[in-house]
Amino acid sequence: MPRVELARSTGLSFPAISAITSKLMAEELLCEAETEAATLWPDDADEEDADGLNGRRRGRPAVLLTLNPEFGRIVAVSLRMNLIETLIADYSGSALAQSRLELTTRALDAAALCELVIAQIEAMLDATATPRHRLLGIGMALQGIVDADTGRHLWSPALSITDVDLAKPIREAFGVEVVMANDAVAVALSLVAAEPALAQGLTATLMVGHGIGMGIVVDGEARWGAGAGSEIGHVKLGSNGPQCRCGQRGCIEAHLADYALYRDARTFLDLPPAVSQQPSEAQMALLRARARAGDPRLEQLFRQAGHALAEAVATTISVLRPHHVILAGPGLEAFDMMRSAYEERLEQAVLPWLLKSTAIYVRPSESATIVDGMVRRTLRVVDRNHMETTE
Amino acid sequence: MPRVELARSTGLSFPAISAITSKLMAEELLCEAETEAATLWPDDADEEDADGLNGRRRGRPAVLLTLNPEFGRIVAVSLRMNLIETLIADYSGSALAQSRLELTTRALDAAALCELVIAQIEAMLDATATPRHRLLGIGMALQGIVDADTGRHLWSPALSITDVDLAKPIREAFGVEVVMANDAVAVALSLVAAEPALAQGLTATLMVGHGIGMGIVVDGEARWGAGAGSEIGHVKLGSNGPQCRCGQRGCIEAHLADYALYRDARTFLDLPPAVSQQPSEAQMALLRARARAGDPRLEQLFRQAGHALAEAVATTISVLRPHHVILAGPGLEAFDMMRSAYEERLEQAVLPWLLKSTAIYVRPSESATIVDGMVRRTLRVVDRNHMETTE
DNA sequence: TTGAATAATTTCAGCAAGCGAATTAAAAAA
DNA sequence: TTTTTTAATTCGCTTGCTGAAATTATTCAA
């Protein structure tokens, strides 16, 4: 954050940093932070604070620079099964307001969906008194397949429509860039940003929840073939496994996603029906509670899920050879019940040399992680566009 | 190759190209090509040649530039099951000489192996009267797992040694850069270089032969997590499938690699035994001939192989979402017998939206493709190093 | 044969980004 | 108050470009 640190991390010289930062400050994109924390020194964290001087040292103190939160705002929308979550953040990425709208998403056609999303975005702008020209970009995280080259939405379990350009009507309504991404990609970006070590090399984030998604981040950036998303959830574990909502059979998702677990549990257990086959968070919590109470059939169900998770991780490691694998998403709440089956299967399913050279992290993440990651992604795209236009 | 074309493809201005090329020509790295073909015009291929002028047009003709073949030489070594193949190429990548050494590779320890490889390289240098200072780099393609970060060889079916740094002794013997890569990566680079369309986006090359390997090329460059290689051959197709030589069970390789097919065929057919379980090319040809002659058990075997191939492609597409998939390697000689089973299974195993957006090519490739690709890879590394040192 | 016409390359002057050295600024320590 | 230490800026210079114009090598047509 201080200029010295920027020079070190970018490898540029002081004069260069000085010139760049002063130009950006003239654009009101950057600003100097308050003098309070400003007197803390950059490399203070790892030294003892016992000098009683509150982290101060000799010499001119560094001036902290921050993104000017007032430079503009970003709206991120997460479109999931029966849920539209919206968040507005300032230019530094801090959330200003958010909303959740529950409805049966599969009942919507493309026009109705876009109308709803536009209304949600407008509500966010109104709630934070954001003038239109302060809106810099909109990010949409979608549960399903997105073609990153064209931005088109190809297929989603949450929607009955396929192969439509959802971004276009929204772009036209607000006149700003609309960034589309798979929701697992958004989660991946959020988690990678939280731990600097994960931003080095290739990090694969497996999101387990309503579906199974994967986001791939290379050196902190989400860039890839046809999108940073991977459809590992629809890799098959056998040619005649359980029915998946994609229409095919034996998908990893059909063994591991919460809708699959709930559906299978209902075949032998008395549980309330799920709305459009999508159990609520409360229903999944109930399922876990019953399993922990000691139902052997449920324990078996979670063991099978553990096997499916291990197969997913094994395939990821074998095909992608990532440096880091993150297991994330609400499905990990039940990881304790999957663990032994997962570990046992993983050993059998990956070459030991590969397993040894991959670090696996478990990070059960909240729902807000999606919109947080989407804000980051959108900010990056907006910044890139801004750079290109001012040059 | 002509300067005009360079300017167009790099986006740099003419003066810039002029300055750079003249500097490189002063270094004797580039040279102007012969006047014969030089008078052909760059964008002539797609216009009719009916003007009877042998492709000439008005205006000053472009001067073709080529890498100066005499600038230096590259040796590429391919280390496979029972075979060490060596090739020496000039700076433009044309092969000058090559050799094949057949021996039981699994009987060698690290020292003996390096000694052999060094002897092979020296033989190549002698055969082409290459002075030591003209040797710019050595590339080694290895069948097995290579850690691209460290260059260490981790595991190979062709060798009994594991986790050794094979590059170091060779680097010390010749004092030049030694580039290690998975052999499938080398094949991928060679095939991608042959078709410009494949150099755009993400191309996954599945090599089917002694083993199953995969090379991943992004925008023409082989860069990745822990190497551009993927161990998709060791993804499991079921928890209790046939024994694989990696020690685990049910690997795709154990259904599809030639050693697996030959081994399984020998359980019901009278075939000569294979040396260290590795059938020769002639033995595999015999197997294919018998199958084509109409043995129903062999037909069934190849149908199973087709299923395994489909699973490999399905997994690749689902996890990687590549723009292009290439099926390559000697195993594809039998693709006609696998085709119907392959196509049928592929439809079931990949989401149709993904399958539709992926182009699949079949390119049965020769053995020399490995060393050719390895020469390219090594040249690229050598050039990068050269750039850094002269700047 | 000779002079357009055409296209590739080079020359030239100028600009912009970045660097090293020296300078100025702000704070703690002596 | 002076010295020390570190942050940030200013200054002059190099480098790598670019655009405009000049130069060169050809073909085409008179």
Side-chain angles (χ1 to χ4, degrees):
Chain A
M1 282 293 197
R3 276 173 259 244
V4 220
E5 193 59 29
L6 285 173
R8 210 160 351 184
S9 59
T10 58
L12 293 175
S13 67
F14 282 120
I17 293 294
S18 211
I20 293 167
T21 54
S22 60
K23 200 199 298 180
L24 292 178
M25 284 174 68
E27 281 187 66
E28 301 202 311
L29 204 145
L30 279 181
C31 62
E32 300 191 340
E34 303 311 304
T35 19
E36 291 203 60
T39 45
L40 281 166
W41 287 49
D43 49 353
D44 232 35
D46 46 348
E47 301 197 13
E48 81 274 2
D49 234 10
D51 50 6
L53 280 161
N54 192 25
R56 289 177 175 232
R57 267 186 257 157
R58 286 188 149 211
R60 177 173 173 174
V63 179
L64 289 186
L65 297 175
T66 41
L67 295 175
N68 178 5
E70 294 311 309
F71 182 70
R73 288 175 179 172
I74 298 286
V75 173
V77 181
S78 162
L79 187 53
R80 312 214 276 295
M81 189 58 146
N82 297 344
L83 178 65
I84 300 178
E85 202 171 8
T86 318
L87 175 141
I88 185 164
D90 63 28
Y91 192 64
S92 69
S94 317
L96 300 173
Q98 60 192 109
S99 74
R100 284 168 67 96
L101 175 65
E102 290 184 36
L103 75 172
T104 51
T105 45
R106 286 193 64 88
L108 299 169
D109 63 12
L113 177 65
C114 287
E115 215 169 288
L116 263 171
V117 169
I118 289 170
Q120 288 292 301
I121 296 172
E122 280 180 338
M124 285 293 99
L125 295 177
D126 291 348
T128 53
T130 305
R132 286 295 176 95
H133 69 272
R134 284 287 181 198
L135 179 65
L136 300 177
I138 297 170
M140 275 190 69
L142 210 81
Q143 187 186 6
I145 310 181
V146 174
D147 185 321
D149 296 337
T150 66
R152 283 177 85 83
H153 146 73
L154 297 180
W155 175 83
S156 165
L159 300 174
S160 47
I161 48 175
T162 59
D163 199 12
V164 273
D165 190 345
L166 294 175
K168 199 176 158 217
I170 298 169
R171 179 162 36 236
E172 283 168 0
F174 295 97
V176 295
E177 179 90 14
V178 176
V179 181
M180 302 281 289
N182 179 280
D183 56 354
V185 175
V187 168
L189 281 171
S190 178
L191 293 174
V192 165
E195 291 177 67
L198 301 177
Q200 299 188 323
L202 196 153
T203 300
T205 303
L206 199 67
M207 191 167 78
V208 181
H210 310 323
I212 312 299
M214 193 159 84
I216 299 164
V217 175
V218 184
D219 292 333
E221 291 288 325
R223 262 263 141 258
W224 209 244
S230 161
E231 289 304 324
I232 194 171
H234 299 283
V235 167
K236 309 298 178 284
L237 291 187
S239 47
N240 215 5
Q243 181 67 45
C244 177
R245 56 185 173 182
C246 72
Q248 298 183 323
R249 293 189 152 275
C251 300
I252 287 178
E253 180 170 305
H255 292 85
L256 182 56
D258 52 15
Y259 81 86
L261 293 174
Y262 199 81
R263 174 194 65 192
D264 292 352
R266 282 199 49 180
T267 61
F268 54 77
L269 217 63
D270 184 35
L271 288 165
V275 182
S276 13
Q277 297 183 30
Q278 180 57 53
S280 64
E281 285 176 34
Q283 286 173 325
M284 285 308 292
L286 174 66
L287 186 66
R288 288 193 296 271
R290 293 246 198 134
R292 292 205 178 92
D295 187 313
R297 294 165 303 179
L298 280 182
E299 281 175 8
Q300 174 60 18
L301 200 61
F302 279 108
R303 257 198 304 280
Q304 280 172 13
H307 285 152
L309 181 61
E311 299 279 359
V313 173
T315 303
T316 301
I317 291 178
S318 298
V319 176
L320 233 42
R321 303 203 46 198
H323 296 100
H324 312 279
V325 174
I326 308 179
L327 305 181
L332 271 295
E333 297 279 330
F335 187 60
D336 55 322
M337 290 182 282
M338 302 191 269
R339 179 158 229 149
S340 67
Y342 159 82
E343 286 175 348
E344 178 195 9
R345 179 63 64 89
L346 192 59
E347 292 249 316
Q348 294 165 8
V350 190
L351 296 179
W353 298 273
L354 292 187
L355 192 52
K356 216 166 48 183
S357 59
T358 312
I360 302 177
Y361 312 79
V362 181
R363 298 279 183 275
S365 54
E366 311 157 29
S367 141
T369 313
I370 300 176
V371 273
D372 175 68
M374 208 57 225
V375 166
R376 287 173 192 284
R377 176 94 182 83
T378 310
L379 274 173
R380 219 164 291 184
V381 173
V382 166
D383 285 348
R384 189 163 45 72
N385 288 353
H386 181 256
M387 295 254 266
E388 279 168 16
T389 46
T390 49
E391 260 169 43
Chain B
M1 282 294 196
R3 276 174 261 245
V4 220
E5 194 59 30
L6 284 173
R8 210 159 352 185
S9 59
T10 58
L12 292 176
S13 66
F14 285 122
I17 293 294
S18 209
I20 293 167
T21 54
S22 60
K23 200 200 297 181
L24 292 178
M25 285 174 68
E27 282 187 64
E28 301 203 310
L29 203 145
L30 279 182
C31 62
E32 299 192 342
E34 304 310 304
T35 20
E36 293 204 58
T39 45
L40 281 165
W41 287 49
D43 48 354
D44 233 34
D46 46 347
E47 301 196 14
E48 80 274 3
D49 234 9
D51 50 5
L53 281 160
N54 192 25
R56 287 176 179 236
R57 270 185 254 155
R58 287 186 150 212
R60 177 174 175 175
V63 179
L64 289 186
L65 297 175
T66 42
L67 294 175
N68 178 6
E70 294 310 311
F71 182 69
R73 287 172 180 173
I74 297 287
V75 173
V77 181
S78 163
L79 187 53
R80 312 214 276 294
M81 189 57 148
N82 297 344
L83 179 64
I84 299 177
E85 202 172 10
T86 316
L87 177 140
I88 184 163
D90 63 27
Y91 192 64
S92 70
S94 316
L96 301 174
Q98 59 192 109
S99 73
R100 283 168 67 96
L101 175 65
E102 288 184 37
L103 74 171
T104 50
T105 44
R106 287 194 62 88
L108 298 168
D109 63 14
L113 177 66
C114 287
E115 215 169 287
L116 263 171
V117 169
I118 288 170
Q120 288 292 300
I121 296 172
E122 279 179 340
M124 286 294 100
L125 295 178
D126 290 349
T128 53
T130 305
R132 286 297 175 96
H133 69 272
R134 283 284 182 203
L135 179 65
L136 300 176
I138 298 168
M140 277 190 70
L142 211 81
Q143 188 185 4
I145 310 181
V146 174
D147 184 322
D149 296 336
T150 65
R152 284 177 85 83
H153 146 74
L154 297 180
W155 175 83
S156 166
L159 300 174
S160 46
I161 48 174
T162 59
D163 198 14
V164 273
D165 189 346
L166 295 174
K168 200 176 159 215
I170 298 168
R171 178 161 37 236
E172 282 168 0
F174 295 96
V176 295
E177 180 90 15
V178 176
V179 182
M180 303 281 288
N182 177 280
D183 57 354
V185 174
V187 168
L189 281 170
S190 178
L191 293 175
V192 165
E195 291 177 68
L198 300 177
Q200 298 187 324
L202 195 152
T203 300
T205 303
L206 199 66
M207 190 168 78
V208 181
H210 309 323
I212 312 299
M214 192 159 86
I216 299 164
V217 175
V218 183
D219 292 334
E221 291 288 326
R223 262 263 138 253
W224 209 245
S230 162
E231 289 305 326
I232 195 170
H234 300 285
V235 167
K236 310 298 178 283
L237 291 186
S239 45
N240 215 6
Q243 181 68 44
C244 177
R245 56 185 173 182
C246 73
Q248 299 182 323
R249 291 189 153 275
C251 298
I252 287 178
E253 180 169 304
H255 293 85
L256 182 57
D258 54 13
Y259 80 87
L261 293 173
Y262 199 80
R263 173 195 64 192
D264 293 352
R266 282 198 48 177
T267 60
F268 55 77
L269 216 64
D270 185 33
L271 287 164
V275 181
S276 14
Q277 298 184 30
Q278 180 58 54
S280 65
E281 283 176 35
Q283 286 173 325
M284 285 308 292
L286 174 66
L287 186 65
R288 288 193 297 270
R290 294 249 197 131
R292 291 205 178 91
D295 187 312
R297 292 165 304 180
L298 280 183
E299 282 174 8
Q300 175 59 20
L301 200 61
F302 279 109
R303 256 199 304 282
Q304 280 172 13
H307 285 152
L309 181 61
E311 299 279 358
V313 173
T315 302
T316 301
I317 292 178
S318 299
V319 176
L320 233 43
R321 304 206 40 201
H323 296 101
H324 313 280
V325 173
I326 308 178
L327 304 181
L332 271 294
E333 297 280 331
F335 187 61
D336 56 320
M337 290 181 283
M338 301 190 269
R339 179 159 228 149
S340 67
Y342 158 82
E343 286 175 349
E344 179 195 6
R345 178 61 62 88
L346 192 59
E347 293 248 317
Q348 295 165 7
V350 191
L351 295 180
W353 298 273
L354 292 187
L355 191 52
K356 215 166 51 184
S357 60
T358 312
I360 303 178
Y361 312 79
V362 180
R363 298 280 182 275
S365 54
E366 310 157 30
S367 142
T369 314
I370 299 175
V371 273
D372 175 68
M374 207 58 224
V375 166
R376 287 174 191 284
R377 175 94 182 85
T378 309
L379 273 173
R380 218 164 293 183
V381 172
V382 166
D383 285 347
R384 189 161 46 71
N385 288 353
H386 180 256
M387 294 256 264
E388 279 167 15
T389 46
T390 48
E391 261 168 43

